[in-house]
Amino acid sequence: MKKRFLSILVCVAVLVTVLAGCGAAAGDPAGPSDNNTAEKSAEVRDNDTQKAVLKVGMTVNDLSNQIFASSCEELKKLIEADGGSITYLDCKSNPATQIQEVENFISSGVNVIVIQPSEAKALETVLGQAREAGIKVFCWDEDIENSDVNWLIDNYALGKIIGEQAAKWINDKFKGECEVAVLDYPQLEILVKRGSGIVDGIKENAPNAKIVAKSSAINPTEGQNKTETILQANPNIKVIACIGGGGAVGANEAVKASGKFTDDFGIFAADATNEELAAMSKNEAIRMSVLITGGPDKIAAEIHSWLKKLISGEPVEKKIYRDTTPVTKDNLNQYYK
């Protein structure tokens, strides 16, 4: 009888211990077992984030522009080498097209959108929708609200550099007086500012120079066609200031083809593309171009580094300003081999 009673007590004690253990596992969330579980879950989430690969949708204004096209292709190489994927498109500077492209990126399940907005205000709503869907937004060249990073140029200041360099040439070669053409691109807000900077840079530093023609050109074809027309109407032009390398390369070809090229003819621009620098190395009409960040390989590498930080959850400043360096014959060998 005593043995049976002892057996019952032992069973009861074991049962109480088991129940107590179960209660500890499922009970108070502040208990040590739950802390360990939460920490392990956090570690899993962190590891999942770190292992996340880039799935990028990218839209720029015009892939006929060499700096955009080459930068996109270089970025594609970097992303794919990391096991990620990228679809890049242009919108032909059409905001409605670009909105549709962003909507398609959202539907396709990208985790990052890279955008060079054709019209910043028009894109804010759809980019807000992208961010609500958990997609990171990297904005190239515009200061917008619905983004995680704005990779910026002070476009007015950049235009001033182009205008100042053109004015220096005018003062050195023509004692401050000559006829000038400007190839701008008012279709894009950011390039309106750059065009204004060019005009102000010339007027402030060579006030007796005359801007006798303005037209828009963002790629070599436009640059060549517009320059041919301008030179026919204004045969005494000696300086052309351009908002970008595409227009400058086309203008250089037009100047040579028209027979207007002389040792004192000068074209001034931005981007410092290989085509511009090659023309500069051969003493053609392109005399200066502002290098922005670097060539397409460096541009792609910088964008790639920011995208990886965004996807891994690293803190990134919203506004990041790009470096600008005027390249002339004097420092050409540092940037063109």
Side-chain angles (χ1 to χ4, degrees), residues 249-267:
V249 168
N252 183 57
E253 292 304 314
V255 169
K256 291 189 297 180
S258 67
K260 297 292 183 182
F261 175 67
T262 54
D263 288 342
D264 57 4
F265 202 109
I267 297 173

Side-chain angles (χ1 to χ4, degrees), residues 153 155-156 158-159 162 190-198 243 270:
I153 303 166
N155 275 284
Y156 180 78
L158 175 57
I162 298 168
I190 58 172
L191 296 182
V192 171
K193 297 173 187 175
R194 195 180 300 183
S196 296
I198 289 172
I243 53 90

Side-chain angles (χ1 to χ4, degrees), residues 67-216:
I67 202 72
F68 298 157
S70 298
S71 298
C72 287
E73 192 56 34
E74 291 295 325
L75 183 59
K76 180 179 180 182
K77 293 176 187 175
L78 294 172
I79 289 172
E80 290 182 348
D82 272 355
S85 62
I86 179 171
T87 299
Y88 65 83
L89 308 166
D90 68 4
C91 66
K92 305 301 182 189
S93 301
N94 185 321
T97 300
Q98 198 163 44
I99 288 169
Q100 183 64 60
E101 289 170 348
V102 172
E103 288 173 344
N104 291 341
F105 289 150
I106 295 170
S107 299
S108 70
V110 301
N111 52 21
V112 180
I113 290 173
V114 178
I115 186 166
Q116 191 215 19
S118 57
E119 187 179 316
K121 291 179 182 177
L123 273 296
E124 288 283 11
T125 298
V126 73
L127 292 176
Q129 292 167 0
R131 296 182 77 205
E132 286 173 5
I135 299 168
K136 300 294 185 182
V137 175
F138 180 97
C139 183
W140 181 353
D141 276 357
E142 272 282 12
D143 187 2
I144 64 173
E145 183 64 30
N146 280 310
S147 67
D148 296 280
V149 171
N150 293 326
W151 199 47
L152 300 170
I153 303 166
D154 183 334
N155 275 284
Y156 180 78
L158 175 57
K160 286 285 291 273
I161 294 171
I162 298 168
E164 287 164 1
Q165 290 282 329
K168 184 177 185 304
W169 183 267
I170 292 165
N171 292 330
D172 290 347
K173 300 291 182 180
F174 304 104
K175 298 181 180 179
E177 297 184 15
C178 79
E179 293 186 5
V180 180
V182 174
L183 294 183
D184 56 15
Y185 200 73
Q187 292 92 319
L188 292 181
E189 289 179 70
I190 58 172
L191 296 182
V192 171
K193 297 173 187 175
R194 195 180 300 183
S196 296
I198 289 172
V199 170
D200 289 350
I202 292 170
K203 287 182 176 179
E204 290 171 14
N205 294 279
N208 294 324
K210 293 181 180 179
I211 298 174
V212 296
K214 291 174 74 175
S215 192
S216 65

